[in-house]
Amino acid sequence: MITRRQWLQASAAFAGAMALGPRSLFAQATKTVKVGVGLKSINASVINLLIGEALGYNAEEGFKVQGMALGGNANVQVATNKGDVDVGIGVPSYALPILAKGEWGNAQWFYQYTYPYKWDVAVKPGTPIKAYADLKGKNIGVSDFGGTEYPVTRNVLKQMGIDPDKDVKWTAVGAGTPAGVALQRGAIDALAYYDTGFGIIEGAGIPFEIVQRPADLPMIGGQFLMALRERIKAERELFVGFGRSTAKASVFILANPAAGAKAFLKLYPETAPRGSSEEQAVKSVLEAISRRIKLYEPPYAGAKMGSIREDEFVTEAKMNGWDITDFSKIYTNDLIADINKFDVEKIRAQAKAYGQ
């Protein structure tokens, strides 16, 4: 039997909920999409996956996003396969060896959110190292051996005839500023890293020079959104919605990078340098993403935003001697047409007017 006190408590709770209005009630019912990223902490390198929350794109699709930094690509893959996250970031350097062994699970890539090629090698200003060929016999730093820069740079050296196991030494030096400090202090001869990582080092005021890239770099190493195949089929609208939010956010950032930075800091103010002003915080985000945003759009004529090209996987598999004849298990382009059903010019106009 419900007591009078319990009835009064329930009535008060119901009245309070009604007072919040329909929008608040709907927000409570909105699905939370857990997005797993292979980082030790959330940073601006995944800005286009997250700012749809601040810009209203996620709400338009009926969900909200929770970014989850899982520490590494292997952890993201496991979490996606187990269903602990709804969407994860997939990388070929980790996934293709699994596919080659016939051990690929039920995850499927459905949107390419960063295209090749985003890695470089940096050296201290004035060093005699000017080309990748000069790296032979040198100590090359990487953030850690689970980072994408390690397998990708190994592949490039191998393609040039440099044995990545015998001809160079590899040292894990940490991510971000610590990597730059290791280079500055001479603990390593060169630093292999990716675009947003170099942006962080640049923002810390550490000088470096980028080694000239070799000609005909392989188009490998894109990054992808993935989810369980059966869930994509059963909840197609949800994953189209997440892809569309990411595409809109990418267009928004390309149109007005500073506005994208402000939207990101609205969600993650803790990522700003301690004691920085708003202007300084925005500048730090822009320094981190300036190289990455150029890779949001496909480098292939006529390709739609987020579309996936199998020949990238074929190239990487051949470079590594992975025997893979069927890549169809690992990706799909079935959602791309629907993901791109939005008014691009409207998003650009929104970006240009943001904050005014």
Side-chain angles (χ1 to χ4, degrees), residues 73 77 89-105 107 109 151-152 155 219-222 224 226 308-331:
N73 297 319
Q77 190 71 52
I89 291 177
V91 295
S93 59
Y94 179 81
L96 293 182
I98 299 174
L99 183 63
K101 295 176 182 177
E103 298 173 359
W104 184 253
W109 300 340
V152 170
N155 277 337
M219 291 297 284
I220 61 171
F224 304 82
M226 64 179 172
I308 301 171
R309 296 236 332 193
E310 186 173 300
D311 55 2
E312 291 181 13
F313 312 146
V314 173
T315 298
E316 191 159 352
K318 286 181 179 178
M319 289 178 67
N320 289 278
W322 298 324
D323 184 15
I324 306 173
T325 56
D326 182 10
F327 294 90
S328 62
K329 291 182 180 179
I330 212 166
Y331 81 100

Side-chain angles (χ1 to χ4, degrees), residues 79-144:
T80 305
N81 286 335
K82 291 175 62 179
D84 293 338
V85 297
D86 302 293
V87 176
I89 291 177
V91 295
S93 59
Y94 179 81
L96 293 182
I98 299 174
L99 183 63
K101 295 176 182 177
E103 298 173 359
W104 184 253
N106 293 316
Q108 192 173 48
W109 300 340
F110 63 90
Y111 183 97
Q112 187 162 355
Y113 82 92
T114 302
Y115 288 90
Y117 182 89
K118 58 180 171 290
W119 299 272
D120 278 294
V121 173
V123 294
K124 288 176 65 174
T127 180
I129 300 173
K130 302 299 181 184
Y132 276 54
D134 300 329
L135 294 170
K136 189 171 183 178
K138 303 301 183 183
N139 182 5
I140 305 175
V142 293
S143 62
D144 64 63

Side-chain angles (χ1 to χ4, degrees), residues 18 57 69-70 127 148 269 295 310 321 355:
M18 291 302 293
Y57 304 154
L70 302 182
T127 180
T148 53
L295 306 176
E310 186 173 300

Side-chain angles (χ1 to χ4, degrees), residues 17-91:
M18 291 302 293
L20 291 174
R23 179 173 298 209
S24 295
L25 288 174
F26 175 76
Q28 292 175 7
T30 299
K31 179 176 178 58
T32 296
V33 176
K34 295 180 180 179
V35 181
V37 300
L39 303 169
K40 290 182 171 60
S41 60
I42 296 294
N43 64 45
S45 65
V46 289
I47 184 173
N48 58 332
L49 307 187
L50 302 174
I51 65 168
E53 194 70 25
L55 300 175
Y57 304 154
N58 295 348
E60 290 172 4
E61 303 292 345
F63 63 83
K64 56 184 178 180
V65 160
Q66 178 185 353
M68 302 176 67
L70 302 182
N73 297 319
N75 295 340
V76 175
Q77 190 71 52
V78 170
T80 305
N81 286 335
K82 291 175 62 179
D84 293 338
V85 297
D86 302 293
V87 176
I89 291 177
V91 295

Side-chain angles (χ1 to χ4, degrees), residues 56-335:
Y57 304 154
N58 295 348
E60 290 172 4
E61 303 292 345
F63 63 83
K64 56 184 178 180
V65 160
Q66 178 185 353
M68 302 176 67
L70 302 182
N73 297 319
N75 295 340
V76 175
Q77 190 71 52
V78 170
T80 305
N81 286 335
K82 291 175 62 179
D84 293 338
V85 297
D86 302 293
V87 176
I89 291 177
V91 295
S93 59
Y94 179 81
L96 293 182
I98 299 174
L99 183 63
K101 295 176 182 177
E103 298 173 359
W104 184 253
N106 293 316
Q108 192 173 48
W109 300 340
F110 63 90
Y111 183 97
Q112 187 162 355
Y113 82 92
T114 302
Y115 288 90
Y117 182 89
K118 58 180 171 290
W119 299 272
D120 278 294
V121 173
V123 294
K124 288 176 65 174
T127 180
I129 300 173
K130 302 299 181 184
Y132 276 54
D134 300 329
L135 294 170
K136 189 171 183 178
K138 303 301 183 183
N139 182 5
I140 305 175
V142 293
S143 62
D144 64 63
F145 295 122
T148 53
E149 70 270 19
Y150 178 58
V152 170
T153 307
R154 285 173 57 89
N155 277 337
V156 174
L157 293 177
K158 188 187 301 181
Q159 186 176 350
M160 298 179 62
I162 298 174
D163 189 323
D165 294 312
K166 297 178 181 178
D167 293 339
V168 298
K169 178 183 177 182
W170 301 92
T171 302
V173 293
T177 302
V181 171
L183 181 65
Q184 187 177 41
R185 292 180 177 175
I188 51 177
D189 299 309
L191 174 66
Y193 213 8
Y194 50 83
D195 50 5
T196 53
F198 283 124
I200 293 170
I201 295 170
E202 195 169 41
I206 298 172
F208 60 86
E209 294 177 350
I210 296 294
V211 176
Q212 183 177 356
R213 288 178 173 180
D216 302 320
L217 274 172
M219 291 297 284
I220 61 171
Q223 293 181 308
F224 304 82
L225 302 181
M226 64 179 172
L228 290 174
R229 186 180 293 103
E230 57 267 30
R231 285 200 61 195
I232 293 174
K233 184 177 180 180
E235 302 174 72
R236 189 177 193 279
E237 186 176 343
L238 174 67
F239 294 104
V240 166
F242 186 79
R244 186 182 293 134
S245 176
T246 299
K248 287 180 177 179
S250 300
V251 170
F252 183 99
I253 296 166
L254 285 165
N256 190 342
K262 289 177 182 178
F264 178 75
L265 290 165
K266 181 179 178 181
L267 293 170
Y268 298 96
E270 70 278 6
T271 62
R274 186 173 299 176
S276 61
S277 65
E278 180 184 10
E279 182 180 355
Q280 291 168 330
V282 169
K283 182 181 177 183
S284 72
V285 174
L286 292 177
E287 287 172 335
I289 67 172
S290 61
R291 293 175 173 87
R292 173 63 59 90
I293 62 177
K294 301 171 186 176
L295 306 176
Y296 289 165
E297 295 180 301
Y300 312 111
K304 292 183 178 294
M305 185 83 84
S307 59
I308 301 171
R309 296 236 332 193
E310 186 173 300
D311 55 2
E312 291 181 13
F313 312 146
V314 173
T315 298
E316 191 159 352
K318 286 181 179 178
M319 289 178 67
N320 289 278
W322 298 324
D323 184 15
I324 306 173
T325 56
D326 182 10
F327 294 90
S328 62
K329 291 182 180 179
I330 212 166
Y331 81 100
T332 180
N333 278 312
D334 289 347
L335 309 188

